[in-house]
Amino acid sequence: VFVFTLTSYLFFLIRQHAYPRHIALAISQILIATAHFLFAMAWPGTMYIGTFLVGLAYGAHWAIVPAAVSELFGIKHFGAMYNFLALANPTGSLIFSGLITSTLYDYEAEKQAHQRRQFMALASPRLLHSAGFFADGPLRCEGSVCFFVSSLIMSLLCIIGAGLSLIIVHRTKWV
């Protein structure tokens, strides 16, 4: 209910004061960038704030994008443009989750496994066996370092997107 009210208020401001929709897109992208920065820092309690900001901004973003696209390009080929927009979500998920984030996670997990192996070489085997360090299994990463770089990359890309939205506002302000 709160997200719907906030999104409705954002649409009211845009319509009432004739702000371009791309300003609202830039605001939502800045909110998402802030959330990803909070995820990267992993301060206590930031997971809740970041999740709220991502949900709020992501909902506003997907509510505004179709209207902004029709405003920029017209409605003659809107069906094709909307389907192209719908393809952006799974494509971005494939690139960021499947390639970038998983690669960085595996790198950090391998680094931690290497550190554990060095620790195993120095410690006594009896202590290690009782602590469960001899159990082989899949690589795992522990701590906030696992997603630090990928969250910063996402934050940077959202800031670039906000900048591009503001460039569109500047180039189309005569309209």
Side-chain angles (χ1 to χ4, degrees):
V1 172
F2 177 74
V3 173
F4 178 73
T5 306
L6 195 59
T7 306
S8 299
Y9 182 70
L10 191 59
F11 279 130
F12 172 75
L13 283 177
I14 290 170
R15 189 178 305 135
Q16 199 69 10
H17 298 289
Y19 290 124
R21 287 184 173 94
H22 293 282
I23 288 179
L25 281 176
I27 291 169
S28 71
Q29 290 164 348
I30 289 170
L31 287 175
I32 294 173
T34 303
H36 280 291
F37 179 76
L38 290 174
F39 290 150
M41 293 299 113
W43 295 318
T46 56
M47 183 65 73
Y48 303 112
I49 298 167
T51 303
F52 173 74
L53 288 176
V54 166
L56 178 74
Y58 192 71
H61 186 268
W62 282 107
I64 296 169
V65 165
V69 167
S70 70
E71 192 176 86
L72 280 177
F73 301 108
I75 57 171
K76 184 175 182 184
H77 301 288
F78 182 72
M81 288 184 287
Y82 185 79
N83 287 329
F84 186 74
L85 289 172
L87 257 165
N89 194 13
T91 304
S93 292
L94 173 69
I95 292 169
F96 295 116
S97 296
L99 301 175
I100 295 172
T101 303
S102 65
T103 303
L104 292 171
Y105 180 89
D106 290 342
Y107 172 75
E108 290 296 330
E110 182 63 40
K111 205 160 69 171
Q112 286 183 5
H114 180 69
Q115 289 171 351
R116 279 192 288 270
R117 279 187 230 115
Q118 285 179 340
F119 176 74
M120 285 173 40
L122 297 175
S124 77
R126 174 180 246 159
L127 174 68
L128 292 173
H129 186 68
S130 65
F133 280 107
F134 286 128
D136 287 337
L139 290 176
R140 69 178 193 277
C141 187
E142 296 175 359
S144 61
V145 71
C146 303
F147 296 103
F148 177 76
V149 175
S150 59
S151 292
L152 287 182
I153 289 171
M154 290 297 294
S155 183
L156 178 68
L157 290 174
C158 288
I159 290 171
I160 290 171
L164 292 173
S165 293
L166 292 176
I167 289 172
I168 289 175
V169 168
H170 179 71
R171 291 183 59 115
T172 61
K173 68 181 175 183
W174 58 272
V175 176

